[in-house]
Amino acid sequence: MKLHELHAPAGSKHSKKRKGRGTATGQGKTAGRGMNGQNSRSGGGVRLGFEGGQMPLYRRLPKRGFHNKWETVYTTINVGELNRFEAGTEVTPELLKEVGLCKKVVDGIKVLGDGELEKAITVKAHKFTKTAAEKIQAAGGKAEVI
């Protein structure tokens, strides 16, 4: 079978009904909307979630949880991921974003202590865990808080 031999199965393709094109079409005048009422009007219909006046589901269910709008959100990076940089490199949030280790920096970068570091590098971040700072210094590098 070739690309030019492909075709849709019989009966699967049919033209759209052209409504409101005269009484002879069978879908003229009211175009299948009926005579009167909310749905016969242009722009008619009910809003999303409307249940005919019954208390809607989103109002029947209890509210849950709390969102702190002053929460600081840190992008996390493990110490083991810093091995991709060469020895002596100064690792900054901009460099991490450029390399692709983090997609976006919201409130800052926090370095976690998972993995091992084999190179002496200077890491500039907003926060460090105790183990991360120890591992960076044990490898001969520096952990600087911005």
Side-chain angles (χ1 to χ4, degrees):
M1 181 174 273
K2 295 190 172 69
L3 202 58
H4 68 275
E5 295 172 347
L6 291 174
H7 60 87
S12 68
K13 304 250 316 169
H14 47 85
S15 54
K16 184 180 122 197
K17 275 188 183 170
R18 296 181 68 232
K19 295 184 173 180
R21 296 295 181 274
T23 51
T25 62
Q27 285 292 337
K29 195 180 165 230
T30 55
R33 289 169 171 257
M35 295 292 280
N36 297 318
Q38 188 175 27
N39 290 321
S40 72
R41 314 280 198 252
S42 71
V46 293
R47 68 176 179 273
L48 197 65
F50 185 70
E51 297 182 21
Q54 174 175 300
M55 188 61 66
L57 183 69
Y58 69 89
R59 288 189 61 195
R60 289 196 302 258
L61 296 175
K63 292 192 280 186
R64 294 259 324 176
F66 167 77
H67 179 69
N68 183 3
K69 62 183 176 181
W70 296 284
E71 178 190 18
T72 51
V73 179
Y74 290 104
T75 305
T76 58
I77 284 171
N78 284 310
V79 169
E81 295 176 65
L82 300 173
N83 281 317
R84 68 164 64 185
F85 299 107
E86 293 176 22
T89 309
E90 188 176 276
V91 180
T92 60
E94 293 79 32
L95 182 64
L96 290 169
K97 197 172 177 184
E98 191 181 304
V99 170
L101 273 176
C102 64
K103 285 184 182 162
K104 63 179 181 176
V105 179
V106 182
D107 291 325
I109 293 226
K110 185 170 184 174
V111 182
L112 308 177
D114 192 31
E116 292 300 320
L117 186 64
E118 292 122 29
K119 298 169 187 168
I121 54 175
T122 305
V123 183
K124 290 187 174 183
H126 299 86
K127 276 191 177 260
F128 293 90
T129 59
K130 199 186 294 182
T131 54
E134 287 169 3
K135 285 180 182 181
I136 292 168
Q137 287 162 357
K142 276 193 218 169
E144 294 180 14
V145 178
I146 300 173

